[in-house]
């Protein structure tokens, strides 16, 4: 835990050209990671057919999810020890190597292994991009750039599925991985020299290998249980119960390690900070809800509103557009006002009301009305994203910036996996399904006796509850003044 008193100095302001080069380079790196999570989905059937293994195609997604989620907090800690530039460049190189291995994979097993390697690189790109932004500009200026990052995610969520389908059918599925090579190389060379000018805040930390291993083990076991539960194995099966029990034990050992290690993997001073705790958990429920809705809304469009796959993808665009608009607006407001919590609190309140409308009228609203509701939901949720990241970064010392940002992104990824699984379980319970069955297969074979609209209503109600929890957590978050570009002296516990 932090124990000594020292002086914190803000980094010297970089010139506009350097900041612009850094931001463009890390946005490209972030786009690589975000796009790779969406472009593969529509290409999976083609990949499965050509490799002669449709049974294991879900592992192409799961392998990347496991490694990227587990690696995220590791990159944050390593960047605090060895610097952002070295760590980001290493992540880009690992991602490119994994992409090449994916493109050359001769079998499904080889592709799954390559995706795991690719995820080891991709897991650092997003959190490191946010951390580098924190090093380059002050908190007051930083919130504006978080809005730009929202555009990257929205573009990847819209363009990814479309590009994945077009490229895999016209050029071949390997091309969706080859495209990462020139883009990754461009991101590498754009940041290679520019990041040399980045202020450095490394400290002589020691990496707690035991703590890191326990965290990775706990997360991987939990993600496996959430990925397999209700799909490959029933939730009550020995396999799922065993995975959950193992995860609980690993989490308990990790907590014990945090309290007893001389320098724990996640510093207690960071985890115990009220701003960090509240903002991280608010993002856990907010991001998780957004990801859950982006996954189940297309299924709602196809099964309840009887759209085809392409139309359902386009129908999801208003949610992404609203999210970008909300994030941009919130980021600009945060840079100009003292009480920056008000924007996301108002935004989340509006999202809650819109979700109540969606829950009550599931399957009854005309399409135009549905799209308006989704814009409002996205805009409200979008206001939360820049505020939680910047508030956490504003609350910690520069030499803990990578650890704190990595923790935020790790919890967001974990929250997404947990809430997606929870929404799926609610849906299956709503239609009375038992045993190992997926939501997608159930919808494909559903008869008229199953009220799918009512089942989706349960998902929308759960999403409403999660947004309410996020609102309450944000309400509890201390609203500390954002530091400007000057060099203030503050007390730092190290």
């Amino acid at each position: 835990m932090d124990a000594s008193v020292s002086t914190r100095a803000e980094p010297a302001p970089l010139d506009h050209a350097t900041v612009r080069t850094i931001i463009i380079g890390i946005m490209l790196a972030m786009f690589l990671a975000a796009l790779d999570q969406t472009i593969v989905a529509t290409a999976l059937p083609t990949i499965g057919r050509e490799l002669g293994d449709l049974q294991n195609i879900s592992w192409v997604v799961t392998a990347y999810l496991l490694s990227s989620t587990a690696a995220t907090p590791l990159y944050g800690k390593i960047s605090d020890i060895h610097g952002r530039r070295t760590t980001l460049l290493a992540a880009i190189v690992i991602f490119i190597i994994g992409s090449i291995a994916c493109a050359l994979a001769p079998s499904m097993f080889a592709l799954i292994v390559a995706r795991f390697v690719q995820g080891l690189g991709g897991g650092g790109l997003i959190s490191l991009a946010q951390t580098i932004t924190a090093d380059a500009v002050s908190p007051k200026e930083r919130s504006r750039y978080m809005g730009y990052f929202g555009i990257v995610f929205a573009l990847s969520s819209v363009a990814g599925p479309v590009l994945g389908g077009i490229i895999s059918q016209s050029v071949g599925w390997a091309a969706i991985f080859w495209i990462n090579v020139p883009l990754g190389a461009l991101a590498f060379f754009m940041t290679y020299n520019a990041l040399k000018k980045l202020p450095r805040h490394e400290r002589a930390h020691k990496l707690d290998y035991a703590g890191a291993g326990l965290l990775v083990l706990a997360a991987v076991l939990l993600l496996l249980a959430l990925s397999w539960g209700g799909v490959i194995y029933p939730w009550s099966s020995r396999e799922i119960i065993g995975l959950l029990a193992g995860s609980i034990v690993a989490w308990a050992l990790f907590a014990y390690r945090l309290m007893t290690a001389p320098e724990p993997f996640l510093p207690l001073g960071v985890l115990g900070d009220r701003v960090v705790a509240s903002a991280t958990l608010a993002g856990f429920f907010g991001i998780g809800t957004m990801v859950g809705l982006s996954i189940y809304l297309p299924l709602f469009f196809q099964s309840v509103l009887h759209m085809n796959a392409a139309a359902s993808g386009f129908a999801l665009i208003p949610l992404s557009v609203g999210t970008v608009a909300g994030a941009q607006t919130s980021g600009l407001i945060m840079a100009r006002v003292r009480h920056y919590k008000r924007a996301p609190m108002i935004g989340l309140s509006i999202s809650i009301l819109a979700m109540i409308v969606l829950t009550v009228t599931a399957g009854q609203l005309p399409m135009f009305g549905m799209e308006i509701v989704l814009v409002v939901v996205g805009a409200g949720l979008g206001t939360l994203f820049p505020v939680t990241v910047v508030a956490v970064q504003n609350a910690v010392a520069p030499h803990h910036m990578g650890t704190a940002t990595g923790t935020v992104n790790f919890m967001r990824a974990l929250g997404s996996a947990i809430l997606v699984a929870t929404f799926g379980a609610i849906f299956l319970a709503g239609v009375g399904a038992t045993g190992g069955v997926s939501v997608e297969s159930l919808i494909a074979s559903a008869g008229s006796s199953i009220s799918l609209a009512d089942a989706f209503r349960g998902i929308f109600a759960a999403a409403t509850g999660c947004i309410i929890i996020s609102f309450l957590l944000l309400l509890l978050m201390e609203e500390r003044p954002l530091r400007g570009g000057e060099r203030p002296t503050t007390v730092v516990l190290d």
Side-chain angles (χ1 to χ4, degrees), residues 59 66 84 101 109 119 123-124 127 131 150 302 360 372 377 433 449 451 463 484:
W59 273 103
L66 289 173
R84 320 293 186 216
F109 177 77
S127 63
T131 306
Q302 294 175 42
V360 173
I372 291 177
V377 170
S449 61
S451 177

Side-chain angles (χ1 to χ4, degrees), residues 137-415:
V137 296
S138 70
K140 274 188 173 295
E141 301 166 320
R142 196 177 305 155
S143 54
R144 302 170 183 169
Y145 294 103
M146 294 302 170
Y148 298 147
F149 293 161
I151 295 177
V152 171
F153 284 106
L155 181 61
S156 65
S157 64
V158 173
V162 176
L163 288 175
I166 294 176
I167 292 176
S168 61
Q169 291 180 12
S170 59
V171 182
W173 62 265
I176 67 176
F177 299 110
W178 282 122
I179 196 174
N180 291 330
V181 177
L183 291 178
L186 180 60
F188 184 95
F189 289 110
M190 285 190 67
T191 56
Y192 183 83
N193 288 319
L195 290 182
K196 291 180 180 179
K197 302 178 181 180
L198 198 68
R200 300 176 68 113
H201 304 291
E202 302 96 277
R203 292 290 180 90
H205 295 295
K206 292 182 179 179
L207 183 59
D208 178 17
Y209 292 100
L214 287 170
L215 177 61
V216 170
L217 178 63
V220 168
L221 290 176
L222 179 59
L223 290 173
L224 283 175
L226 295 175
S227 300
W228 290 347
V231 180
I232 297 178
Y233 303 104
W235 285 105
S236 58
S237 66
R238 291 180 300 175
E239 290 82 0
I240 300 302
I241 293 175
L243 286 171
L244 291 174
S247 180
I248 291 172
V249 171
W251 283 116
L253 292 174
F254 176 68
Y256 177 77
R257 180 68 182 177
L258 289 181
M259 294 183 290
T260 58
E263 185 176 351
F265 180 71
L266 300 180
L268 293 178
V270 172
L271 294 179
D273 187 278
R274 288 182 56 190
V275 172
V276 175
S278 298
T280 299
L281 289 174
F284 177 99
F285 286 98
I287 290 280
T289 300
M290 173 63 70
V291 173
L293 289 176
S294 67
I295 288 176
Y296 287 108
L297 277 171
L299 297 176
F300 173 81
F301 294 143
Q302 294 175 42
S303 60
V304 177
L305 302 184
H306 307 294
M307 295 181 175
N308 58 36
S312 67
F314 282 107
L316 195 64
I317 291 178
L319 183 69
S320 299
V321 171
T323 304
V324 172
Q328 285 277 41
T329 302
S330 181
L332 292 174
I333 292 175
M334 191 177 189
R336 289 173 169 79
V337 302
R338 177 180 176 83
H339 298 292
Y340 50 84
K341 282 202 317 184
R342 292 178 181 175
M345 289 179 69
I346 293 172
L348 291 179
S349 299
I350 295 173
S351 281
I352 291 169
L353 294 176
M355 284 304 305
I356 291 174
V357 171
L358 189 60
T359 302
V360 173
T361 63
Q364 301 173 8
L365 273 178
M367 196 59 213
F368 179 74
M370 180 83 177
E371 300 290 51
I372 291 177
V373 170
L374 292 183
V375 169
V376 174
V377 170
L381 283 171
T383 59
L384 175 70
F385 305 153
V387 171
T388 50
V389 173
V390 175
V392 167
Q393 293 176 336
N394 184 65
V396 301
H399 59 280
H400 284 319
M401 194 76 72
T403 300
T405 307
T407 301
V408 169
N409 283 279
F410 171 73
M411 291 299 292
R412 286 181 171 187
L414 201 60

Side-chain angles (χ1 to χ4, degrees), residues 6-31:
S6 61
T7 299
R8 177 195 300 177
E10 287 294 309
L14 300 174
D15 62 87
H16 177 70
T18 301
V19 172
R20 181 179 58 195
T21 302
I22 291 174
I23 295 299
I24 293 175
I26 62 177
M27 283 181 66
L28 181 55
M30 180 179 283
F31 180 71

